[in-house]
Amino acid sequence: MSAGRSALRMGPAELVQAAAMARRFYLEGKSKIQIAEEFGVSRFKVARVLETALERDLVRIEIRVPAELDAERSDALRARYGLRHAVVVESPAEGDDESPDPENLGEVAADLLGELVTEGDVLGLAWGRSTIHMAAALDRLPPCTVVQLTGVYDAGTAERGSVEAVRRAAQVSGGEAHPIYAPMLLPDPATAAALRSQTGIARAFEYFDKVTVACVSIGSWEPGISTVHDMLSDAERAHYASLGVAAEMSAHLFDTEGRRVGRDLGERCITVEADRLRRIPEVVAIAGGQRKAAAIGAVLRSGLVTSLVTDRAAADYLLTESSPGTHPALERKDPDGS
């Protein structure tokens, strides 16, 4: 609080009273009615004094957020796509933006989960580097059940990937863990169906309809940026590319408009179905970087995601690309168009 030159136009008694009222309201958190009673005036008089204090620079209000958070871009992104929550963080230093996902996204997402998850929730975690980073950064979480939403990228590294992420989140929350010890992608639908019927995996699938908050990753259709892309043969990649795939999330493929393509791939995968994902109240996507920007936009158009943690590089693209036209995150439309 400081007295600017324009405030000198007020008399000394007015200045002292305005400063006292402003202190009560802005620093002590008292209501206008309480202040009015203390000073023996009407609450309308208090409102006028507070307004005058702002106009004449007696009171200065500053809104500060940590330097790594971009509040302006966050709010613009939330409004543009109808997201419940959008958090934009600083991008990596120049020259470091080739990583699949900046690690600081996981740290911020961990804090966001601490806000979103409430006691008794069922938290679902899909495979992804960003969700693994997020789980490693968790330090607070209300008591909740944690379930794995997809198989693992490589069964040989399960303990260091999705399974460990689920265990870590459950450990922090003190709740039950339901991991899936199976690859995400299988050779054929019959093998995938057989695995889904196994006791441990079937038990995890039973929780899918109970998930209240989910964390997912997004990949663009190129090597090293999409897990599914890297697991397929050259012929299969070419086939799905011919269908116009632009993005991948939890083994579901999307074109640039957010429509699902290559649905047959899901029959070979251990993953939460798209329709089940759409019914989860809160789906948080964690993805950033210029190389993923277009893919993030495609998935946001699908209506499957309600919240996003990203970085400035991706946000700048998303805020300048062609408008989604609607608010897909609010509408939760069916990406299959049915």
Side-chain angles (χ1 to χ4, degrees):
M1 236 178 276
S2 64
R5 290 186 178 181
S6 58
L8 295 177
R9 299 173 187 171
M10 301 173 69
E14 291 177 306
L15 276 170
V16 170
Q17 184 183 68
M21 288 184 176
R23 181 173 295 279
R24 304 289 195 282
F25 186 74
Y26 291 108
L27 299 183
E28 299 176 11
K30 291 187 176 182
S31 69
K32 293 175 184 176
I33 292 177
Q34 290 174 314
I35 297 170
E37 290 175 352
E38 179 182 349
F39 285 86
V41 298
S42 71
R43 62 186 177 89
F44 302 106
K45 166 72 171 178
V46 173
R48 285 196 299 273
V49 170
L50 293 175
E51 184 178 347
T52 300
L54 283 172
E55 290 176 349
R56 299 193 176 184
D57 204 26
L58 183 65
V59 173
R60 294 177 182 172
I61 298 176
E62 292 183 346
I63 300 174
R64 294 183 177 180
V65 295
E68 68 269 17
L69 299 182
D70 192 318
E72 185 175 351
R73 283 180 174 86
S74 297
D75 188 58
L77 199 58
R78 177 201 57 77
R80 184 177 178 86
Y81 287 90
L83 295 162
R84 291 201 184 97
H85 305 280
V87 182
V88 178
V89 305
E90 62 182 1
S91 299
E94 188 175 353
D96 295 335
D97 59 357
E98 291 302 309
S99 58
D101 277 306
E103 289 193 19
N104 60 340
L105 295 186
E107 297 170 3
V108 173
D111 288 339
L112 179 60
L113 272 194
E115 294 182 59
L116 299 181
V117 176
T118 59
E119 184 172 351
D121 275 346
V122 176
L123 172 63
L125 300 181
W127 194 96
R129 298 177 186 89
S130 54
T131 51
I132 292 170
H133 291 153
M134 180 275 299
L138 282 172
D139 58 11
R140 64 185 177 96
L141 209 57
C144 64
T145 299
V146 187
V147 60
Q148 195 168 320
L149 296 178
T150 63
V152 299
Y153 173 46
D154 182 348
T157 61
E159 296 297 322
R160 302 189 301 275
S162 303
V163 171
E164 178 55 31
V166 169
R167 286 178 173 172
R168 167 66 182 167
Q171 180 184 34
V172 172
S173 74
E176 295 181 1
H178 294 276
I180 294 177
Y181 294 94
M184 182 189 296
L185 180 66
L186 283 305
D188 53 70
T191 305
L195 276 178
R196 291 190 203 103
S197 66
Q198 290 187 359
T199 303
I201 298 175
R203 186 178 298 117
F205 267 64
E206 289 173 359
Y207 276 91
F208 286 0
D209 286 329
K210 303 174 185 177
V211 173
T212 49
V213 180
C215 280
V216 299
S217 295
I218 295 172
S220 55
W221 199 244
E222 57 179 303
I225 309 296
S226 165
T227 300
V228 173
H229 179 282
D230 292 346
M231 289 191 288
L232 295 173
S233 67
D234 289 342
E236 289 170 325
R237 291 169 189 158
H239 165 68
Y240 291 116
S242 72
L243 300 179
V245 59
E248 175 262 318
M249 178 183 69
S250 302
H252 299 295
L253 309 182
F254 305 87
D255 66 13
T256 56
E257 297 302 316
R259 296 181 293 255
R260 274 217 307 153
V261 296
R263 300 178 206 174
D264 60 304
L265 182 65
E267 298 175 4
R268 297 168 50 195
C269 292
I270 303 296
T271 186
V272 60
E273 299 94 326
D275 193 53
R276 275 177 159 174
L277 197 60
R278 184 165 60 94
R279 295 198 299 267
I280 296 174
E282 184 75 77
V283 179
V284 181
I286 313 167
Q290 291 182 353
R291 293 176 65 185
K292 282 192 176 183
I296 295 169
V299 173
L300 289 182
R301 283 178 164 81
S302 75
L304 295 180
V305 168
T306 61
S307 297
L308 175 68
V309 178
T310 191
D311 67 351
R312 289 173 183 164
D316 285 343
Y317 174 89
L318 294 169
L319 290 171
T320 55
E321 71 164 349
S322 60
S323 171
T326 60
H327 294 112
L330 289 177
E331 297 170 3
R332 303 304 296 275
K333 65 178 183 179
D334 185 352
D336 293 340
S338 58

